[in-house]
Amino acid sequence: MVELKTAAEIEQMREAGRVVGTALAAVKKQAAAGVSLRELDEVARDVLRSAGAVSLFEGYQPGFATSPFSGVICTSVNDAVLHGLPSDLRLEDGDLLNVDCGASINGWCADAATSFCVGTPRPEDLELIATTEEALAAGIAAAVEGNRIGDISAAIGRIGKRDNVGTNLDFGGHGVGRRMHEDPHIANGGRPGRGLKLLAGHVFAIEPWFWAGPGSTYIIDEDGWTLRSADHTRGAHAEHTVAITPEGPQILTLP
């Protein structure tokens, strides 16, 4: 069942979203060559702790995972794009870093992600990030009353197809509310006019993720979490928690 949130509940989710947005901004500010992924996790942890927020990631163990997640952010580098575990790996100049964060306050959740270059950027990485962010914007623009889930998926997919990037439909957007992952699943590609009809009060995490290469297959590291492209091309990920309102889509995960 897909629950509708009241205006007051959406405002509580916005409070959690601000914390998530602030944590991501703090991590981006501190990310530099020589900084470890574990140190960035501590940066985000401090933001959540100061706000009285609870991490949605730490201790989380879905069916595909072999162990509970050990950080408060996902830190995926270069050809990794999702679920990267914070570790002692130190960033290098030119790395492409994807950071995902989720938090709850008073039982209400929010989830967001961003990708950026460390130090000197590669032009092709900037292009991939731009494509991913454009796809996120297109998905959000389609999240209006009267549309359907398929319209969000199709809007994202059109951008990916246009730029010939690798797209996989196994992981994607999702409902969010009292739990991090609620129905429905929102694939990053599909046909418009299909699926759940969108109503005011629906809240979704919309999250395109692409690889620079045209391939769509992935492998999972021995850690049981880190997902990377099978052809080792670099990936980017962008995500916001978005509420559907009579006035249009509202992004809840801004700092």
Side-chain angles (χ1 to χ4, degrees):
M1 183 175 67
V2 181
E3 295 183 353
L4 299 178
K5 280 71 175 179
T6 67
E9 290 169 341
I10 289 172
E11 286 308 305
Q12 292 186 71
M13 295 184 69
R14 192 191 304 275
E15 184 179 355
R18 288 193 188 101
V19 176
V20 169
T22 299
L24 291 176
V27 168
K28 183 175 182 179
K29 183 177 180 180
Q30 293 298 317
V35 176
S36 76
L37 301 181
R38 203 179 306 277
E39 289 169 343
L40 294 180
D41 189 70
E42 287 300 322
V43 170
R45 191 180 298 272
D46 286 344
V47 173
L48 268 60
R49 185 186 300 116
S50 297
V54 177
S55 171
L56 298 178
F57 294 177
E58 190 169 37
Y60 180 59
Q61 187 174 5
F64 67 83
T66 57
S67 61
F69 197 80
S70 59
V72 302
I73 55 174
C74 298
T75 51
S76 307
V77 183
N78 296 333
D79 62 335
V81 69
L82 292 180
H83 308 156
L85 287 169
S87 69
D88 292 327
L89 176 73
R90 295 193 177 276
L91 294 168
E92 297 182 3
D93 186 63
D95 279 344
L96 173 53
L97 177 61
N98 309 314
V99 183
D100 195 347
C101 183
S104 68
I105 293 181
N106 297 324
W108 290 101
C109 303
D111 187 12
T114 187
S115 295
F116 54 89
C117 297
V118 177
T120 308
R122 298 183 182 188
E124 59 268 32
D125 289 345
L126 294 176
E127 291 176 4
L128 179 63
I129 292 170
T131 294
T132 309
E133 291 179 345
E134 184 179 352
L136 175 58
I140 292 171
V144 296
E145 283 187 285
N147 273 0
R148 293 186 177 273
I149 286 295
D151 296 310
I152 299 175
S153 296
I156 292 170
R158 277 194 294 270
I159 302 300
K161 185 175 182 179
R162 182 198 69 190
D163 289 358
N164 195 34
V165 292
T167 306
N168 184 284
L169 306 184
D170 290 354
F171 296 92
H174 50 88
V176 61
R178 288 285 188 181
R179 293 176 292 113
M180 174 170 54
H181 291 128
E182 298 183 349
D183 289 335
H185 171 70
I186 306 174
N188 288 320
R191 297 177 62 180
R194 296 196 169 197
L196 177 76
K197 186 175 182 179
L198 307 184
L199 302 173
H202 281 141
V203 182
F204 305 125
I206 300 173
E207 53 176 317
W209 56 283
F210 297 133
W211 285 303
S216 62
T217 57
Y218 58 84
I219 57 177
I220 298 177
D221 284 359
E222 290 183 1
D223 63 22
W225 278 99
T226 305
L227 185 155
R228 66 181 70 243
S229 60
D231 59 5
H232 299 294
T233 54
R234 295 188 177 208
H237 179 200
E239 177 184 19
H240 273 305
T241 296
V242 179
I244 295 174
T245 77
E247 293 76 33
Q250 292 188 15
I251 298 173
L252 305 184
T253 39
L254 297 174

